Amino acid sequence: MILASEAVPSELVRRVHVAEPGPDAVQDICKGLGPGPLSLVAVFAAPGGDFAALIAGLSAALDGACIIGCVTAGEIFGGYQDGGIVAIALPASHFETETVLIPDLNALNPDATVRDIIRRRAALTATAPHWQNEFAILLVDGLSRREDAVVAMVMHGLGQVPLFGGSSGDGTRFASTAVAYQGRVMPDVAVLTCVRTICPVKVFSLDNLTPTERRMVVTRADPEARIVHEINAEPAASEYARLLGKDAGQMDTFTFAAHPVVVRFGGHHHVRAIQRVTDDGALVFFSAIDEGMVLTLATSEPMAGHLESQFATLSAQAVPDTIIAFDCILRRIEAEQKQQGGAVSRVLADHNVVGFSTYGEQYSGLHINQTMTGVAIYPPGAVVT
């Protein structure tokens, strides 16, 4: 049974879930997160509510904490959730944070942004010189189509600091998203948070996909809009459907989740997930696409078992206090379509996973899809390699 408000007490990562947001949501979140000082509070909320009022209220109530967040395509707290709010707090006793707002994603200023990131990292080192563990969190407007450029840019400032990130969502509507920073809620922005901590950490990315031998070539595309018009010199949607043995007119989000395509670069395969079919039979993708790109159809292994094995690896040397994870909405759709949603939720709950479902993920300088990215945070003194 999901309560209206649930909190998990912890001296490390504080986390609270409000299942049915109402006028007392700010009060419920503050009570659930416990006393400060808090270095960072991240808020992930279902679309449809007054996200701006929520963020403004939390910023006033939690004076001194940096407030970030976004709207979602679903929440994660004790498994998959919908329609609520998840809040995560990093207390100042164990974490120091510096946050950079990246505005107007269509007019990026790489030189100024990279300088700002380097300054913030230097400030963290000066503030907590004896804490050696670092990671970075990136939240990006999930409808901006600028994630590839943003993550490539910020990595120049981060250097070797491991990064994971997620693109804000809007359920399955794909109409409007927003990102929060210090009391404000804005579209077309990204927020980068650098974290330095006494706690050992592991940043990770995982998926349950295996490439097949079935390949196709993008022969006509609009890279800026992430639209593929032709595959193998044929209309894109009909050719993709033919390779699947399906009717192009019957394809939907469930089809794309169950039959992803991947590209190979850097010695690894990365998903290029399909968002939808246009009225003229083109395919709109969640991430970068270009003419000449070779796409490979992939198959998936059962998600719950794969997730359990991956989390078991993360817990092999020490058990994480919390795993903060950003999980692609297509993974959730696939799990539910294959009647594994309950099993996946149980795995997420068993391993203290908290976060949200995304329109895309960022990891190590790349914008990717149909993956889970995140950080495992361990108790101080734990030995992990």
Side-chain angles (χ1 to χ4, degrees):
M1 176 180 175
I2 300 173
L3 302 177
S5 178
E6 297 175 279
V8 177
S10 172
E11 289 304 312
L12 297 182
V13 181
R14 317 261 184 91
R15 45 201 190 273
V16 61
H17 174 237
V18 179
E20 299 176 357
D24 296 328
V26 170
Q27 179 181 335
D28 291 342
I29 291 170
C30 293
K31 180 180 178 181
L33 294 179
L38 303 176
S39 182
L40 181 80
V41 176
V43 182
F44 307 122
D50 193 339
F51 187 51
L54 173 69
I55 293 299
L58 287 172
S59 295
L62 298 172
D63 185 35
C66 179
I67 311 292
I68 65 169
C70 65
V71 290
T72 76
E75 302 78 55
I76 301 172
F77 188 104
Y80 287 139
Q81 306 289 349
D82 268 313
I85 303 166
V86 168
I88 305 166
L90 302 182
S93 57
H94 292 79
F95 301 89
E96 287 284 350
T97 60
E98 289 280 347
T99 301
V100 177
L101 173 68
I102 305 172
D104 193 0
L105 300 186
N106 286 306
L108 295 175
N109 187 338
D111 290 342
T113 302
V114 169
R115 286 196 300 269
D116 196 8
I117 294 169
I118 292 171
R119 284 196 298 268
R120 301 301 179 97
R121 286 188 58 207
L124 281 180
T125 302
T127 302
H130 301 300
W131 294 355
Q132 300 299 312
N133 304 306
E134 292 182 282
F135 64 94
I137 305 170
L138 182 65
L139 299 177
V140 191
D141 182 335
L143 294 176
S144 68
R145 300 198 301 267
R146 297 291 288 161
E147 296 101 327
D148 302 273
V150 171
V151 70
M153 176 182 67
V154 302
M155 288 306 297
H156 286 293
L158 290 175
Q160 298 301 309
V161 175
L163 172 140
F164 74 100
S167 303
S168 59
D170 180 33
T172 56
R173 290 177 289 275
F174 305 103
S176 175
T177 70
V179 174
Y181 170 75
Q182 291 292 64
R184 293 179 289 164
V185 171
M186 299 160 281
D188 195 36
V189 303
V191 173
L192 176 73
T193 301
C194 300
V195 183
R196 194 170 178 96
T197 176
I198 193 174
C199 301
V201 297
K202 278 190 178 181
V203 172
F204 65 90
S205 176
L206 61 87
D207 66 66
N208 61 326
L209 304 175
T210 302
T212 70
E213 295 301 317
R214 290 181 290 173
R215 296 183 176 87
M216 63 195 90
V217 179
V218 176
T219 48
R220 187 163 71 90
D222 179 351
E224 186 68 24
R226 296 179 177 170
I227 297 175
V228 172
H229 295 283
E230 291 184 0
I231 292 173
N232 298 338
E234 299 290 341
S238 59
E239 179 66 1
Y240 171 74
R242 184 189 68 81
L243 291 168
L244 298 181
K246 295 183 177 293
D247 183 342
Q250 297 179 343
M251 292 194 301
D252 56 17
T253 306
F254 298 106
T255 308
F256 308 141
H259 303 280
V261 295
V262 299
V263 297
R264 183 176 177 84
F265 54 89
H268 300 280
H269 283 90
H270 303 277
V271 181
R272 285 293 179 263
I274 301 168
Q275 182 189 122
R276 60 184 175 88
V277 179
T278 66
D279 292 339
D280 60 355
L283 295 174
V284 180
F285 281 72
F286 277 107
S287 52
I289 207 79
D290 206 349
E291 292 180 1
M293 184 175 282
V294 177
L295 305 176
T296 301
L297 287 171
T299 59
S300 59
E301 64 178 280
M303 192 178 296
H306 178 267
L307 202 55
E308 179 61 55
S309 69
Q310 295 293 307
F311 287 157
T313 299
L314 287 173
S315 301
Q317 295 174 289
V319 177
D321 172 85
T322 302
I323 296 175
I324 301 174
F326 302 157
D327 190 42
C328 184
I329 181 59
L330 293 178
R331 284 173 51 87
R332 183 170 184 160
I333 290 171
E334 178 193 355
E336 292 171 350
Q337 181 191 28
K338 295 182 177 180
Q339 299 182 339
Q340 292 190 48
V344 171
S345 282
R346 285 191 291 274
V347 174
L348 295 171
D350 288 346
H351 291 274
N352 297 326
V353 181
V354 60
F356 74 101
S357 295
T358 76
Y359 278 1
E361 305 77 56
Q362 294 82 48
Y363 176 74
S364 188
L366 296 173
H367 174 58
I368 48 184
N369 302 121
Q370 212 151 338
T371 66
M372 174 183 284
T373 65
V375 61
I377 300 175
Y378 299 85
V383 178
V384 294
T385 57

